[in-house]
């Protein structure tokens, strides 16, 4: 049976998950759109809770339907409902829900249980652990791009302040291109990292900031990236042990995602 009503509970649920952070937190789920992201999620070990496919997509993608049916329940919806649910102009015909990605367990659990965590794959020393922390970065596209860079260059974990963009929003997930399914992400935890012996480094323009290319990152480092307009908040900057800056020539500044990506690349050395 093809679902055609906007009042259908599954349709209403998916639309709310795509648009409302409160709905995501209350249900413990978030919604994702797209066939490629579906494959990325499954390959990362995530199991969908529910899948909605448009009639047109299901008719043309029999192999996908068979694979998806082995994972969870599938409902078929009309193309009009896909446009109603989606936050894009051209829906792809695939929607699925996943459990929230935020890790609320202590960071020490991640560090102690995995040794060098993701860093072990890059043949680093046993004590090496790299973390990026975002302070009030509110542009979803920037948060998604930073997640993608962290994943690409082997960052061990990402910390988000409470006022950062929601990593489960469709724009963040699309910008991350599947990396959000793999990267360990936490809300808060900066103070905890200091107690675990991490050096906290703020990306900031100040008289005491060191040039990025001259800076030697300690084995256990967390770099804080501030908001697009205001930079790192005074409260968080007070927690920083060191400060670094990226030398540029003509432009007034770099956006948060570009600055973070440059720093993340330098942290590999």
């Amino acid at each position: 049976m093809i679902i055609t009503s906007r009042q259908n509970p599954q349709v209403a649920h998916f639309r709310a998950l795509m648009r409302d952070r409160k709905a995501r937190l209350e249900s413990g789920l978030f919604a994702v759109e797209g066939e490629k992201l579906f494959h990325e999620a499954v390959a990362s070990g995530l199991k969908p809770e529910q899948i909605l496919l448009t009639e047109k997509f299901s008719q043309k993608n029999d192999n996908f339907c068979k694979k998806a049916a082995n994972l969870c329940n599938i409902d078929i919806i009309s193309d009009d409902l896909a446009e109603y649910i989606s936050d894009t102009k051209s829906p792809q015909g695939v929607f699925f829900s996943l459990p929230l990605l935020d890790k609320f367990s202590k960071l020490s659990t991640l560090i102690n249980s995995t040794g060098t965590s993701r860093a072990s794959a890059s043949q680093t020393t046993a004590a090496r652990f790299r973390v990026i922390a975002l302070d009030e970065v509110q542009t979803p596209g920037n948060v998604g791009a930073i997640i993608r860079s962290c994943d690409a260059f082997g960052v061990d974990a990402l910390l988000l302040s409470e006022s950062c963009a929601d990593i489960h929003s469709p724009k963040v997930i699309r910008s991350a291109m599947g990396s959000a399914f793999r990267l360990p992400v936490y809300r808060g935890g900066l103070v905890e990292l200091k107690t675990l012996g991490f050096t906290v480094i703020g990306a900031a323009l100040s008289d005491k900031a060191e040039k990025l290319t001259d800076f030697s990152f300690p084995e256990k480092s967390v770099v804080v990236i501030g908001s697009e307009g205001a930079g790192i908040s005074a409260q968080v900057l007070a927690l920083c042990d060191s400060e670094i800056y990226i030398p540029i020539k003509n432009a007034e500044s770099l956006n948060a995602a570009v600055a973070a990506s440059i720093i993340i690349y330098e942290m590999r050395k």
Side-chain angles (χ1 to χ4, degrees):
M1 184 178 71
I2 300 172
I3 298 172
T4 59
S5 172
R6 291 186 176 186
Q7 279 68 51
N8 178 274
Q10 290 292 349
V11 171
H13 179 57
F14 266 80
R15 180 176 165 85
L17 293 181
M18 293 289 284
R19 286 165 171 75
D20 187 358
R21 182 178 183 180
K22 182 179 179 182
R24 294 191 282 266
L25 292 175
E26 289 179 348
S27 66
L29 299 170
F30 70 109
V32 185
E33 178 181 356
E35 181 181 1
K36 186 176 187 303
L37 286 177
F38 176 86
H39 292 304
E40 290 273 8
V42 173
S44 299
L46 302 180
K47 187 178 183 300
E49 297 282 333
Q50 177 74 22
I51 300 171
L52 299 183
L53 304 177
T54 61
E55 180 183 15
K56 184 182 296 184
F57 182 92
S58 64
Q59 290 173 345
K60 294 182 179 180
N61 295 275
D62 187 56
N63 288 337
F64 178 94
C65 293
K66 290 178 180 178
K67 178 180 180 179
N70 290 326
L71 297 173
C72 66
N73 184 58
I74 297 176
D75 285 312
I76 307 301
I77 61 174
S78 67
D79 291 340
D80 287 345
L81 285 186
E83 294 180 1
Y84 176 68
I85 295 171
S86 177
D87 74 329
T88 66
K89 292 183 179 180
S90 302
Q92 298 178 41
V94 178
F95 302 89
F96 58 100
S97 60
L98 293 169
L100 297 181
L101 299 169
D102 299 61
K103 309 288 195 272
F104 292 104
S105 59
K106 292 183 178 180
L107 276 169
S108 56
T109 303
L110 170 73
I111 297 168
N112 295 332
S113 65
T114 60
T116 59
S117 183
R118 293 157 55 93
S120 60
S122 58
Q123 299 180 342
T124 53
T125 61
R128 187 172 182 178
F129 207 95
R130 303 296 198 224
V131 179
I132 292 293
L134 303 186
D135 181 35
E136 301 183 7
V137 179
Q138 297 174 346
T139 303
N142 280 344
V143 173
I146 291 169
I147 290 172
R148 190 176 178 186
S149 292
C150 287
D151 185 36
F153 297 125
V155 167
D156 294 285
L158 177 70
L159 306 186
L160 302 176
S161 69
E162 288 299 327
S163 53
C164 281
D166 181 9
I167 64 165
H168 302 101
S169 72
K171 290 182 180 179
V172 171
I173 295 298
R174 283 198 301 271
S175 299
M177 297 288 287
S179 291
F181 304 142
R182 294 182 288 270
L183 182 71
V185 178
Y186 297 80
R187 287 278 172 181
L190 195 59
V191 174
E192 182 184 354
L193 283 183
K194 282 183 70 77
T195 65
L196 291 171
F198 276 75
T199 299
V200 180
I201 304 145
L205 290 174
S206 70
D207 293 338
K208 66 177 183 179
E210 297 180 52
K211 186 185 296 185
L212 172 62
T213 49
D214 295 338
F215 188 80
S216 295
F217 289 94
E219 293 301 322
K220 296 166 69 175
S221 297
V222 51
V223 176
V224 183
I225 309 295
S227 69
E228 294 81 357
I232 301 173
S233 63
Q235 181 181 7
V236 172
L237 195 60
L239 295 173
C240 295
D241 304 297
S242 304
E243 296 175 22
I244 55 175
Y245 74 95
I246 302 171
I248 57 178
K249 289 186 177 181
N250 299 317
E252 181 180 348
S253 63
L254 300 171
N255 96 342
V258 172
S261 297
I262 292 171
I263 292 170
I264 291 166
Y265 185 81
E266 287 293 322
M267 288 177 77
R268 301 194 315 167
K269 299 179 180 179

